[in-house]
Amino acid sequence: MYPKTIEITEVGTRDGLQSESRFIPTDQKIKFIKGFISAGLRRIEATSFVSPRAVPQLADAAGLVSATRGQGAKIAALVPNAKGAARALEAGADEMVAFISASESHSRTNLNMPIADALKAVEQVAQIADGGGRTFRSAIAVAFGCPFEGDVEPAAVSAIAGTLKGMGVRTITLGDTTGMASPRHVENVCGRLLEDHPDLRLTLHFHNTRGLGLVNVMTGLKLGIDSYESASGGLGGCPFAAGATGNICTEDLVYLMAELGIETGIDFDGVVAVAKEMERAVGRELPGQLIRSGPRSKLHSIEAVRRAVG
Ligand code: COA
Ligand code: ZN
């Protein structure tokens, strides 16, 4: 019924940290990424080559990529335009992810340009990635709903995917930027894309804003989708979308997959250890749940518990 194996992409140092106002030192980010690689993650969206004025936390993109590439995982980075692609190429990013929005309003707040111009920018990024021998994919933000416009038509997402395909895109990430998706939207949007573009590989990127993140993953699995993005500790959120909160949490996702018997290649204790370090770095409790509870296999001493004697 479900895929036997899925790929999990860690976005904790990108989506996870992009809204953090206090700059997390590059050395610390490098340590997180090395921890993810040791835990078995093989694709890491490490950072974004965007305007450092738009996202100051990721101004160290080049240093982070050059210090983490070639160490056993594919290091991917978001890239909004040709300038970002040139920076990513120079830093040695393995993969460029050109991102656009499914709604005009989010395209303007996030990229300061209409969708049509953003699509032209994707084409330039594709050419630069191709010329530099890097892999390339695209991500569509607010694909399951826009915080400014509401519902997004599956047909509109499918049309954008069709245009991207014409530029050579073979893998598309569908982003639920502000956690507006429910299983119904996942079925409608992904169903439409799988039908219209059976040759595209889909990756799903959910935020747990309304508590439906893992429920939406279950819906994706039922549709046969075998690639998901998550952030360590459940950190995350887009600074250019109202009401954005954390991504689905890597440890919680790894735990769920283990319970379902779906192979991820990721060591649960390893990702919990990194999440605890991330929690210390941002200085507050993160929303992930397994980081507190531990797995169900962790039993407790009966002596340590108060008895309900009346
Ligand atoms: N990397 C670094 N600097 C960049 C850049 C990039 N990829 N793209 C543009 N810039 C710089 C330009 O060189 C210019 O600098 P200058 O004023 O010192 O000459 C300045 O930014 C403005 O350039 P312009 O092309 O007019 O950009 P803009 O102001 O219209 O912003 C984006 C467009 C795409 C660069 C900006 O909206 C952005 O970085 N968005 C990313 C948002 C994001 O990361 N969202 C979260 C992920 S979903
Ligand atoms: Zn996101």
Side-chain angles (χ1 to χ4, degrees):
M1 181 183 178
Y2 300 132
K4 285 192 170 51
T5 305
I6 65 157
E7 178 182 63
I8 297 180
T9 297
E10 173 61 49
V11 299
T13 53
R14 196 282 293 171
D15 204 332
L17 294 179
Q18 69 188 1
S19 295
E20 291 296 317
S21 48
R22 195 173 63 81
F23 183 75
I24 307 291
T26 312
D27 281 353
Q28 232 169 340
K29 293 174 186 163
I30 294 170
K31 218 170 140 220
F32 298 147
I33 292 178
K34 290 189 173 171
F36 296 140
I37 297 172
S38 302
L41 282 142
R42 290 295 167 261
R43 182 170 182 270
I44 295 169
E45 192 175 276
T47 188
S48 307
F49 288 91
V50 296
S51 157
R53 281 202 290 272
V55 187
Q57 180 64 252
L58 305 184
D60 61 351
L64 187 58
V65 166
S66 51
T68 51
R69 62 191 283 262
Q71 296 179 28
K74 179 177 260 196
I75 300 296
L78 282 192
V79 162
N81 52 20
K83 177 159 187 176
R87 289 175 61 212
L89 192 66
E90 198 189 335
D94 297 311
E95 182 165 82
M96 299 188 201
V97 184
F99 58 109
I100 57 160
S101 302
S103 78
E104 288 293 350
S105 312
H106 187 255
S107 187
R108 282 167 202 277
T109 58
N110 200 44
L111 288 166
N112 194 29
M113 57 180 119
I115 294 172
D117 291 358
L119 283 166
K120 285 184 201 138
V122 173
E123 195 152 30
Q124 293 173 346
V125 174
Q127 281 161 4
I128 294 168
D130 230 32
R134 312 302 160 85
T135 57
F136 167 74
R137 59 161 77 185
S138 199
I140 306 178
V142 301
F144 301 95
C146 166
F148 311 111
E149 296 182 19
D151 283 346
V152 168
E153 284 302 318
V157 182
S158 177
I160 292 173
T163 307
L164 292 170
K165 222 166 61 171
M167 299 171 184
V169 175
R170 290 292 164 264
T171 305
I172 289 187
T173 303
L174 296 176
D176 183 25
T177 311
T178 61
M180 290 175 73
S182 74
R184 179 168 58 92
H185 299 98
V186 178
E187 275 168 14
N188 289 346
V189 175
C190 298
R192 175 76 191 242
L193 259 74
L194 293 168
E195 201 176 304
D196 292 355
H197 310 290
D199 48 341
L200 276 179
R201 186 177 184 209
L202 297 181
T203 292
L204 301 182
H205 173 113
F206 294 120
H207 283 256
N208 200 34
T209 315
R210 294 173 177 82
L212 298 183
L214 294 182
V215 181
N216 290 329
V217 170
M218 293 300 296
T219 310
L221 292 173
K222 278 188 202 151
L223 294 167
I225 296 169
D226 64 355
S227 177
Y228 297 86
E229 297 188 344
S230 59
S232 183
L235 259 177
C238 175
F240 312 104
T245 64
N247 289 78
I248 58 167
C249 166
T250 303
E251 316 84 78
D252 295 7
L253 178 62
V254 168
Y255 178 73
L256 173 62
M257 294 307 112
E259 288 295 307
L260 293 172
I262 296 173
E263 191 58 49
T264 61
I266 298 168
D267 172 45
F268 173 78
D269 292 333
V271 282
V272 168
V274 188
K276 286 184 175 163
E277 283 177 37
M278 278 221 159
E279 197 165 57
R280 274 194 289 278
V282 299
R284 62 172 193 282
E285 202 169 282
L286 294 182
Q289 288 180 282
L290 269 291
I291 193 176
R292 311 252 97 74
S293 63
R296 66 195 288 279
S297 57
K298 182 186 121 189
L299 301 182
H300 299 266
S301 155
I302 192 167
E303 276 74 38
V305 174
R306 196 168 73 85
R307 279 163 199 245
V309 284

